Amino acid sequence: MSKRINTFFQPIPSKKPKQELAEKCSVTHHPTYPFAIRDLPSSISTPLVNRDSPEGKHIASQPHLDLLYFTPFVPPPLSRQLFHFLRRELPFYRVCYTINRGGLSTEVKTPRYTTVFGVDSTSRFATEWESTTLLDSASNQPAPENKYRVPPRPIPPCLDALRQCVEAATNRRGHYNFILVNYYATGDDSIAYHSDDERFLGAQPIIASLSLGGTRDFFLKRKSAPPGSAGKIPPPMKFAMASGDMVIMQGETQAHWLHGLPKRRGSTGRQGRINITLRRAVIPEGTNNYYRYNVGQGEMYRWCSAKGEMPTMLNMDRKMKCIN
Ligand SMILES: O=C(O)CCC(=O)C(=O)O
Ligand SMILES: [Fe+2]
């Protein structure tokens, strides 16, 4: 039996200054945000909260594979409205970093736009929305100022609404403490095969991955040959992720499988796509890692509706220049 999402929904803490805009959309300020982030308009939040909670299809057709697949999780046209809203309202980055390979330092340019919000479970944000103070989850005392390399950013209400929907659909209230957002502007943007099984996510991490916007192929392939396969690795599994589709990878999936989104030529890659992943990090190393690789040190980008592109903000204190 499906249940209504709104029976599950938690009100978002409202101890924050809200500012009414001309179109009656409130915004959320936080000192760690480069600009105020708009809250979901009621034309999106109301149907999102009031829809029936969809049932996912369990896929465990291969050894160590454990997926829940929702087609869709957010139905059209809501998924399309959410795509346009999030592309316009979130700060994005194109992170560059150096890695050391065999003693050689190599520069890596992340081939997509990224952004991240959240903090690992050893800390929590103070309830006063404008405060940057972090509290130690165990003692409830302020965490040392140097606990993290950069100040973590609280999940803004527009993404928190999605987090609550995902948690409601799988009965995991309060599970996820991080939201990572990827924006693939064209078919040249991609993510290489990898698994999300870093130590800082704990054992058998659950990764919920929601797609919005253009359809792109998502692949899963085994890390090594399964038992009884005479050393043969089966061909990758392909999921054409359409707007609103969601896959939850759980159980032993991350330990035995890689996933990735290859580059695409032609029309399928021309339309932008947003991917939102929800995760739970359990130690501070997770927070440091996620901000390093998804926000980084470089320029901020913000979608400009007039230009229909994501121009760089040329560092101007990482503040916005293009008014949507
Ligand atoms: O865009 C996707 O579907 C995958 C994203 C992903 O795997 C990641 O961010 O770790
Ligand atoms: Fe991933």
Side-chain angles (χ1 to χ4, degrees):
M1 267 274 285
S2 63
K3 58 179 175 300
R4 291 243 154 215
I5 292 264
N6 63 1
T7 58
F8 181 93
F9 238 71
Q10 294 290 290
I12 288 153
S14 61
K15 290 182 194 150
K16 63 192 177 74
K18 289 209 165 184
Q19 176 189 312
E20 292 297 313
L21 296 181
E23 61 268 44
K24 293 252 182 314
C25 226
S26 57
V27 299
T28 297
H29 296 273
H30 191 267
T32 59
Y33 295 170
F35 51 79
I37 297 178
R38 211 168 284 187
D39 302 337
L40 288 179
S42 57
S43 57
I44 297 181
S45 61
T46 305
L48 189 66
V49 172
N50 287 329
R51 79 203 204 289
D52 283 335
S53 187
E55 302 270 333
K57 183 179 166 204
H58 189 216
I59 301 180
S61 49
Q62 296 210 32
H64 315 293
L65 186 71
D66 188 347
L67 308 175
L68 264 183
Y69 190 31
F70 297 79
T71 51
F73 181 71
V74 180
L78 200 54
S79 61
R80 185 141 295 276
Q81 289 167 334
L82 253 178
F83 166 77
H84 288 291
F85 177 89
L86 294 174
R87 179 168 66 175
R88 202 175 58 231
E89 303 302 339
L90 297 177
F92 283 99
Y93 305 91
R94 221 69 210 182
V95 177
C96 295
Y97 54 94
T98 47
I99 49 164
N100 223 309
R101 256 194 214 133
L104 256 183
S105 143
T106 315
E107 172 154 292
V108 178
K109 289 187 173 145
T110 303
R112 61 191 177 282
Y113 295 87
T114 55
T115 198
V116 64
F117 298 92
V119 69
D120 65 90
S121 57
T122 69
S123 300
R124 61 182 182 79
F125 293 96
T127 42
E128 296 79 30
W129 187 260
E130 64 280 11
S131 163
T132 49
T133 305
L134 282 168
L135 301 174
D136 182 272
S137 302
S139 69
N140 250 345
Q141 296 303 306
E145 288 213 349
N146 61 356
K147 180 169 180 180
Y148 299 108
R149 280 195 217 111
V150 295
R153 301 175 173 186
I155 297 173
C158 62
L159 289 174
D160 205 57
L162 281 175
R163 180 182 67 85
Q164 291 191 40
C165 285
V166 174
E167 290 179 349
T170 48
N171 253 321
R172 287 197 183 103
R173 181 177 283 173
H175 178 75
Y176 301 105
N177 54 23
F178 265 100
I179 295 201
L180 280 67
V181 184
N182 293 303
Y183 173 59
Y184 305 86
T186 68
D188 281 337
D189 284 351
S190 60
I191 189 163
Y193 269 123
H194 66 283
S195 53
D196 296 310
D197 56 353
E198 293 97 341
R199 208 174 58 96
F200 57 72
L201 294 174
Q204 301 210 340
I206 302 166
I207 313 286
S209 180
L210 172 70
S211 291
L212 299 170
T215 302
R216 288 281 295 264
D217 291 336
F218 174 82
F219 286 90
L220 274 154
K221 78 170 178 193
R222 283 196 65 93
K223 291 184 183 179
S224 58
S229 67
K232 269 188 86 178
I233 298 184
M237 298 173 75
K238 181 171 100 173
F239 297 82
M241 299 294 288
S243 192
D245 289 356
M246 178 170 76
V247 64
I248 298 185
M249 298 177 272
Q250 52 192 20
E252 294 188 292
T253 307
Q254 297 302 326
H256 294 272
W257 292 77
L258 301 167
H259 58 274
L261 194 98
K263 296 191 190 305
R264 281 287 182 252
R265 304 256 164 269
S267 58
T268 50
R270 234 175 271 143
Q271 216 185 344
R273 169 182 182 264
I274 282 179
N275 166 261
I276 296 168
T277 58
L278 293 93
R279 304 138 190 244
R280 179 177 183 81
V282 294
I283 51 174
E285 189 192 335
T287 302
N288 285 332
N289 177 292
Y290 282 153
Y291 285 93
R292 174 169 183 213
Y293 293 109
N294 295 281
V295 171
Q297 306 282 315
E299 290 156 358
M300 185 203 72
Y301 294 77
R302 189 180 184 187
W303 179 258
C304 180
S305 301
K307 292 192 177 132
E309 60 180 44
M310 194 83 86
T312 169
M313 295 297 117
L314 296 173
N315 249 346
M316 302 214 0
D317 285 336
R318 290 186 161 210
K319 292 263 189 295
M320 76 175 157
K321 215 167 63 184
C322 179
I323 308 294
N324 284 301

